[in-house]
Amino acid sequence: MKLSPLTSVFGLILNISPLSNDCCSQMISLQTGNGIVNIVISKDTYVVDCTRLRAGMRIHAFYDSNAPVPLIFPPQYRAEVVAVATSGEQVTITHFDRDLVASNGSLKLNLDNRTVIVTQNGQRYDCNPGGNTLMVFYRTTTRSIPPQTTPRKIIVFC
């Protein structure tokens, strides 16, 4: 799975249908703030916590922004990672340095004892998560530069 650069789309699942030529893949129609977007979920798509996706769920779908896409409407992207969204929660995937600052300077992480840190397969991660690509689940940030947050959960892509 290629994790960089990933772009996200957030929306409400309207419909899930199988792809006619691939029994292991599905097409999700997603209602976003900018209209309908179709997301392809393949056997290689990482779905956080192996959640079974259903119509009515709000999700963050991350796709490779450098991958070719068909020139059709509505737009169609192949998801690399999908996370179900909880109310008011933000999700990002990016590389963080040893000081837990995002490579693009968009976020600084402050960890506390309530922050859940796990690997992709759900195992506890006991080391400093810095220096890795991280999927970060958080709610609020400070107005500082960079914005700071104490995340609820971090998934480390080793």
Side-chain angles (χ1 to χ4, degrees):
M1 169 184 359
K2 186 176 182 212
L3 289 175
S4 185
L6 292 182
T7 302
S8 71
V9 61
F10 171 75
L12 178 74
I13 297 176
L14 298 176
N15 185 15
I16 301 174
S17 56
L19 289 178
S20 60
N21 60 348
D22 183 356
C23 295
C24 292
S25 297
Q26 298 174 322
M27 178 75 72
I28 292 180
S29 294
L30 202 59
Q31 177 67 55
T32 71
N34 296 323
I36 303 289
V37 173
N38 287 330
I39 303 292
V40 174
I41 306 292
S42 74
K43 63 180 178 50
D44 298 322
T45 302
Y46 171 58
V47 179
V48 175
D49 297 330
C50 297
T51 304
R52 183 171 180 222
L53 303 175
R54 294 182 299 279
M57 288 181 154
R58 294 193 181 280
I59 64 168
H60 293 270
F62 295 85
Y63 62 92
D64 182 352
S65 57
N66 289 330
V69 296
L71 295 175
I72 58 174
F73 187 82
Q76 179 178 307
Y77 306 107
R78 182 169 296 280
E80 298 290 333
V81 179
V82 173
V84 175
T86 62
S87 181
E89 191 166 61
Q90 299 293 315
V91 181
T92 189
I93 298 176
T94 194
H95 190 272
F96 284 81
D97 67 16
R98 290 272 174 214
D99 296 322
L100 297 174
V101 176
S103 59
N104 61 4
S106 64
L107 193 61
K108 167 132 178 49
L109 305 180
N110 298 314
L111 305 182
D112 71 9
N113 59 355
R114 294 176 308 220
T115 303
V116 175
I117 305 173
V118 296
T119 61
Q120 230 180 305
N121 63 7
Q123 302 307 303
R124 199 167 91 195
Y125 189 84
D126 291 325
C127 300
N128 176 2
N132 291 293
T133 298
L134 307 176
M135 182 175 208
V136 180
F137 297 78
Y138 64 98
R139 290 191 185 279
T140 59
T141 62
T142 64
R143 292 185 181 205
S144 61
I145 298 177
Q148 297 183 36
T149 189
T150 302
R152 173 184 69 82
K153 182 177 183 177
I154 296 173
I155 297 174
V156 181
F157 291 92
C158 298

